[in-house]
Amino acid sequence: NDINTNGTKEICEKFKNMDNRIKIIDVSSVEVGEARNIGIKEATGEYLGFVDSDDYIAEDMYEILLNNLINENADIADVGFAREENGQLELKSFTGEIEVFDKESAIEEILKDKKLLSFMWNKLFKRKVWDNIWFDSQKVFEDIDIMYKLFENANKVVLIDTLKYIYVQRSTSIMHTPNSLFMLDRLNVIVDRYNHFKNKYNERIQFMNKYAFAVNMIVIYRKIVLNHFDDIYNEFMKYYNLFIEVINEYENEIRTILTPNQNLVLNFMLDDLSSAPEKIRSVKDIDK
């Protein structure tokens, strides 16, 4: 309960009276990462899960996650999610299939960011994967910053492709508010992750690590251009030569994974970086 006046404390008290396992922790204003750290320290169970305050879950989400952890002897379980904006749920199909990943294939997938994503809230973790791992409360992209470390501590990850988590989108949230320092944080996090996996594990992970770095560089550059974040442009350019090295090595393979708009931005960047901003701004909905 982050000291508030919207009745949250009363709601918490109501649920605590219904179930004595519930703990209420009152804190003054803290960042998301620190709030999660407090929860981890206070938790006494064998498993850890996180739900963001704007979102909601299916009643059986944690039952399904726990059953998958036990049945597959996995360390992390993951379920499907859908976004909701202005009360409208996105149309999305789910197969109900269960997939199991060993450590290396799970790391490959978290880098690819298509099937397993670096969201904290649609997962259940065995507590042991959190050994000596804490959120950096100064980071905005704390989920990306921490997820690959958790996956390295896991021997097996299980995913069930079924809708159990609703990710509520708000135009006023930090994720939807353009901010240059926000983008700088993302840049630093993806560079740290790239350096962490450099020359580690198998050849496929090496490729996926370079792809993850490249696609994030494209997305960050697009954000810088569209929002006129000139104050962090020089920081971005510190890694531009590395970006070009990666593209030169794996351009064809990387392009097959990029979205059409990401491919278009890459075309502009490679054609002429000086004219790329004007070209990017001229394309309608290029940020989608």
Side-chain angles (χ1 to χ4, degrees):
N1 178 42
D2 189 356
I3 306 302
N4 63 76
T5 57
N6 65 0
T8 298
K9 181 67 177 285
E10 289 74 17
I11 296 171
C12 292
E13 293 284 359
K14 176 183 175 182
F15 280 97
K16 183 180 179 182
N17 291 335
M18 294 166 59
D19 191 327
N20 61 16
R21 295 170 300 176
I22 292 175
K23 256 185 217 184
I24 301 173
I25 304 165
D26 293 317
V27 295
S28 55
S29 184
V30 294
E31 300 297 335
V32 173
E34 184 55 31
R36 287 172 170 172
N37 286 337
I38 292 169
I40 294 167
K41 290 172 187 174
E42 291 287 336
T44 57
E46 185 182 345
Y47 306 95
L48 292 174
F50 304 81
V51 177
D52 282 1
S53 58
D54 285 347
D55 304 337
Y56 57 99
I57 68 175
E59 291 182 354
D60 60 351
M61 184 182 91
Y62 281 113
E63 178 184 358
I64 287 172
L65 287 168
L66 180 60
N67 284 339
N68 279 332
L69 279 181
I70 294 170
N71 293 340
E72 301 297 340
N73 191 26
D75 299 308
I76 301 173
D78 192 304
V79 291
F81 70 93
R83 293 174 172 83
E84 180 185 292
E85 190 167 2
N86 299 323
Q88 296 296 313
L89 193 65
E90 71 174 324
L91 295 176
K92 202 172 178 182
S93 60
F94 297 88
T95 66
E97 294 180 1
I98 295 175
E99 286 188 77
V100 180
F101 305 87
D102 61 20
K103 182 196 296 287
E104 292 192 348
S105 61
I107 290 172
E108 181 182 327
E109 285 297 332
I110 206 69
L111 289 168
K112 190 175 183 180
D113 198 37
K114 300 287 187 182
K115 193 176 289 185
L116 296 174
L117 291 85
S118 292
F119 291 130
M120 197 58 55
W121 32 251
N122 64 331
K123 297 174 177 62
L124 184 65
F125 305 85
K126 282 187 178 176
R127 193 183 186 104
K128 67 178 185 178
V129 303
W130 288 84
D131 188 30
N132 295 318
I133 293 180
W134 300 95
F135 288 96
D136 185 336
S137 61
Q138 301 304 308
K139 292 188 182 300
V140 179
F141 283 88
E142 74 280 352
D143 285 15
I144 297 177
D145 180 59
I146 205 171
M147 193 63 68
Y148 66 89
K149 302 166 190 173
L150 296 171
F151 271 51
E152 277 201 299
N153 281 349
N155 291 316
K156 193 183 290 185
V157 177
V158 57
L159 164 68
I160 180 166
D161 187 32
T162 183
L163 176 58
K164 295 297 173 184
Y165 192 99
I166 307 300
Y167 177 28
V168 179
Q169 308 281 279
R170 299 188 188 279
S171 60
T172 56
S173 73
I174 191 169
M175 288 295 177
H176 292 84
T177 306
N179 185 305
S180 61
L181 295 181
F182 181 55
M183 280 298 105
L184 181 59
D185 180 82
R186 179 169 180 169
L187 177 64
N188 290 332
V189 165
I190 66 110
V191 169
D192 287 346
R193 186 177 66 178
Y194 173 80
N195 288 331
H196 177 86
F197 282 115
K198 190 176 180 180
N199 300 322
K200 288 180 70 175
Y201 298 106
N202 59 37
E203 211 172 284
R204 184 66 186 168
I205 289 178
Q206 286 306 301
F207 162 70
M208 205 55 68
N209 186 37
K210 292 179 179 180
Y211 159 77
F213 171 73
V215 71
N216 274 279
M217 286 288 285
I218 292 168
V219 169
I220 292 168
Y221 180 75
R222 182 172 59 185
K223 289 287 187 183
I224 288 173
V225 166
L226 292 177
N227 294 286
H228 300 274
F229 292 153
D230 299 333
D231 55 328
I232 64 167
Y233 186 78
N234 288 339
E235 287 298 314
F236 173 86
M237 289 305 297
K238 288 180 180 179
Y239 307 103
Y240 189 74
N241 287 339
L242 175 60
F243 168 70
I244 293 301
E245 286 179 21
V246 169
I247 293 299
N248 286 341
E249 183 178 5
Y250 286 114
E251 181 175 353
N252 291 336
E253 295 88 340
I254 287 173
R255 282 188 179 277
T256 64
I257 310 176
L258 296 178
T259 67
N261 278 349
Q262 289 166 354
N263 266 301
L264 189 57
V265 173
L266 178 58
N267 289 341
F268 294 151
M269 294 172 75
L270 296 180
D271 181 42
D272 180 7
L273 199 61
S274 64
S275 64
E278 183 180 352
K279 292 177 181 176
I280 289 171
R281 293 173 191 140
S282 70
V283 179
K284 184 180 178 181
D285 294 331
I286 197 168
D287 201 22
K288 293 182 179 178

